[in-house]
Amino acid sequence: MSTAQTISTSVKTNNAKMIGAVSASLFGWSLDLFDLFILLYVAPVIGAAFFPSSQPTLSLAAVYGSFAVTLLMRPVGSAIFGHYADSHGRKGAMTFAVVGVGLSTAAFGLLPTIQQAGFIAPVLFLILRLVQGVFVGGVVASTHTIGTESVPAKWRGVMSGFIGGGGAGIGALLASLAFFITSSIFPGEAFAVWGWRCMFFSGLLSSILGIFVMTSLEESPFWQELEKAKAAKQAGARPAPLRELFGSKYRNVLFINILITFGGGAAYYLTSGYLPSFFKVVNGLPNNISSVILMAGSVTTIIASAGAGALSQSIGRKWTFVLVGIVGVFALPWLYSHLGATKDVTEITIYALIIIVIGNASYGPVMIFLNERFPTQFRATGTGLSWNIGFALGGIMPTVVTAASGTMAGIPHVLAIFTSGIFVVYLIGALVIRETKDEMQ
């Protein structure tokens, strides 16, 4: 029997440890997504403060471009923190990364605007986005492994969706609450002066909560068993994670993973991630109404992602991806066309929630699918790189859509085309992968 098989069959679950690991994964991921989502909620204001343009779509595209910059640095963070998590444990990597994201987010609130400092303002903004991206990549490498490694096999699909979607839902819910509160305290033009800064300052809370959550966290049972095997000299020399991932055995695995994560990432950023701006610049909703719809969307996100993860435990990862892909190809163009054509709040809410269901179901099983593709020895690095490279590419799509739209009125039509095309790529990835359910070792 191989070392990996020995480890997988000897892992025992403990309820207290399992709850602690899942909670840490969920809240660690949600706190960091909260920090990232803040920018999406204040994108139009940030565009005017740091990237002003006579054409509003170009200003908004620049803000989404800065968001993509963060995503492009996430693979670097996964390589650094993933190597640490695989070599020294998931807990330390997660704690340092979560605190780093919160502190870098709060620093945005101290930046001068282009009106105050000129050209240096957007430069400082982009540099800080690069730093934030490294830390977020580190969070992914640890949160996306320790939770699913700590539950029985029958719960892994649900946990995948619950951590990924729950993290996204709670993060978005916290951002929605922060947006609602700051919009109420700083109404109208005051929000453009102080409200957006207070939104970023709230990142300090995520650092404090992150330290609190990680204090009681114990290491993953998979990683602990690997360490025991190493101590007993059963595991032999530990391979260098990056060398293994880009070697002949796993290079194609990494490439196929990226097809799925790109589709899931782009689907997310063109649905839940784009809706805050869509409501403002296309539907013309006031901030308070928009924030209420987005809070409802946050709850929907958790249900949709966890439901897709549970479905993957029943029919398999592959066929869940195929089913969601088919729905996305045909439904999203129709939904965006109708969402852009209405001003009725009830209709906007219905269309938006259905869009959120499809977008978030797309990545529900992705986390456990990636976990099942790599052995424990370099699972954090492999999962983190696969997720972050795919989501980095997917995160560029809002910038491309906004720039291609030309005018605000053109955004729904361009979104309809791009979302359909993205799900075609997602479907291709789903059709070429093999089934991985219950293969995690």
Side-chain angles (χ1 to χ4, degrees):
M1 181 179 288
S2 69
T3 300
Q5 289 172 323
T6 302
I7 293 170
S8 67
T9 55
S10 61
V11 168
K12 303 294 183 185
T13 57
N14 174 285
N15 285 340
K17 291 180 181 179
M18 180 175 67
I19 293 171
V22 171
S23 298
S25 283
L26 174 64
F27 287 106
W29 185 225
S30 65
L31 291 174
D32 282 345
L33 286 178
F34 161 69
D35 292 327
L36 282 180
F37 288 162
I38 288 173
L39 180 62
L40 298 178
Y41 282 69
V42 298
V45 175
I46 294 300
F50 291 92
F51 308 99
S53 171
S54 58
Q55 190 170 346
T57 52
L58 292 181
S59 180
L60 188 58
V63 177
Y64 280 119
S66 72
F67 190 86
V69 165
T70 304
L71 295 172
L72 291 173
M73 290 303 293
R74 281 165 57 168
V76 177
S78 286
I80 296 170
F81 286 92
H83 184 277
Y84 185 91
D86 286 326
S87 301
H88 304 288
R90 320 306 196 202
K91 179 178 179 178
M94 191 188 306
T95 302
F96 185 43
V98 167
V99 172
V101 174
L103 292 177
S104 60
T105 299
F108 283 103
L110 300 173
L111 292 179
T113 65
I114 198 168
Q115 290 82 9
Q116 296 168 331
F119 177 72
I120 192 64
V123 172
L124 290 174
F125 187 89
L126 291 174
I127 290 173
L128 203 49
R129 295 296 293 174
L130 293 173
V131 173
Q132 188 187 43
V134 173
F135 284 116
V136 174
V139 174
V140 170
S142 46
T143 59
H144 286 26
T145 51
I146 192 170
T148 50
E149 283 181 339
S150 302
V151 298
K154 65 181 179 179
W155 294 109
R156 287 175 189 157
V158 176
M159 284 301 103
S160 174
F162 183 60
I163 294 169
I170 294 173
L173 181 60
L174 292 174
S176 298
L177 286 170
F179 185 47
F180 180 81
I181 292 170
T182 53
S183 295
S184 301
I185 297 173
F186 303 98
E189 292 300 318
F191 187 85
V193 179
W194 289 107
W196 67 271
R197 293 186 184 276
C198 291
M199 287 279 287
F200 283 118
F201 287 149
S202 62
L204 290 173
L205 296 176
S206 68
S207 288
I208 296 170
L209 288 172
I211 293 173
F212 177 77
V213 169
M214 304 306 165
T215 300
S216 59
L217 176 65
E218 295 192 37
E219 283 295 347
S220 149
F222 273 78
W223 191 83
Q224 289 178 334
E225 289 297 321
L226 181 64
E227 287 298 288
K228 289 179 183 178
K230 180 185 176 184
K233 296 183 178 180
Q234 296 176 9
R238 179 171 291 174
L242 288 177
R243 184 182 302 170
E244 290 291 319
L245 285 172
F246 291 98
S248 58
K249 183 176 180 181
Y250 283 97
R251 191 184 304 124
N252 289 338
V253 171
L254 189 62
F255 174 75
I256 297 301
N257 288 355
I258 291 170
L259 281 180
I260 291 291
T261 55
F262 166 69
Y268 175 78
Y269 288 117
L270 291 179
T271 55
S272 290
Y274 206 91
L275 284 174
S277 295
F278 195 102
F279 289 157
K280 185 174 184 66
V281 302
V282 178
N283 298 120
L285 291 180
N287 288 346
N288 60 338
I289 295 177
S290 175
S291 61
V292 171
I293 297 174
L294 291 170
M295 282 188 277
S298 301
V299 177
T300 304
T301 291
I302 301 172
I303 297 171
S305 184
L311 182 63
S312 78
Q313 200 64 42
S314 176
I315 68 174
R317 321 304 183 206
K318 178 185 179 78
W319 293 110
T320 302
F321 292 144
V322 170
L323 178 61
V324 174
I326 292 172
V327 172
V329 167
F330 296 102
L332 284 175
W334 184 88
L335 288 164
Y336 266 125
S337 296
H338 283 72
L339 178 62
T342 183
K343 300 295 182 182
D344 181 81
V345 173
T346 301
E347 290 184 356
I348 289 172
T349 303
I350 293 171
Y351 289 134
L353 292 182
I354 298 173
I355 287 170
I356 287 170
V357 168
I358 298 171
N360 289 277
S362 67
Y363 66 83
V366 168
M367 186 188 302
I368 187 59
F369 166 73
L370 298 177
N371 287 174
E372 291 165 341
R373 302 273 276 175
F374 301 107
T376 305
Q377 291 94 325
F378 48 90
R379 178 172 295 126
T381 307
T383 296
L385 275 176
S386 298
W387 181 282
N388 281 321
I389 293 173
F391 270 68
L393 295 173
I396 296 172
M397 290 300 104
T399 307
V400 176
V401 166
T402 306
S405 299
T407 64
M408 297 302 184
I411 287 177
H413 177 67
V414 176
L415 265 176
I417 295 172
F418 271 79
T419 50
S420 184
I422 290 301
F423 270 97
V424 169
V425 175
Y426 181 84
L427 263 176
I428 292 172
L431 292 171
V432 299
I433 64 171
R434 63 177 178 80
E435 183 55 63
T436 61
K437 187 169 77 75
D438 298 330
E439 289 188 5
M440 192 163 82
Q441 298 179 341

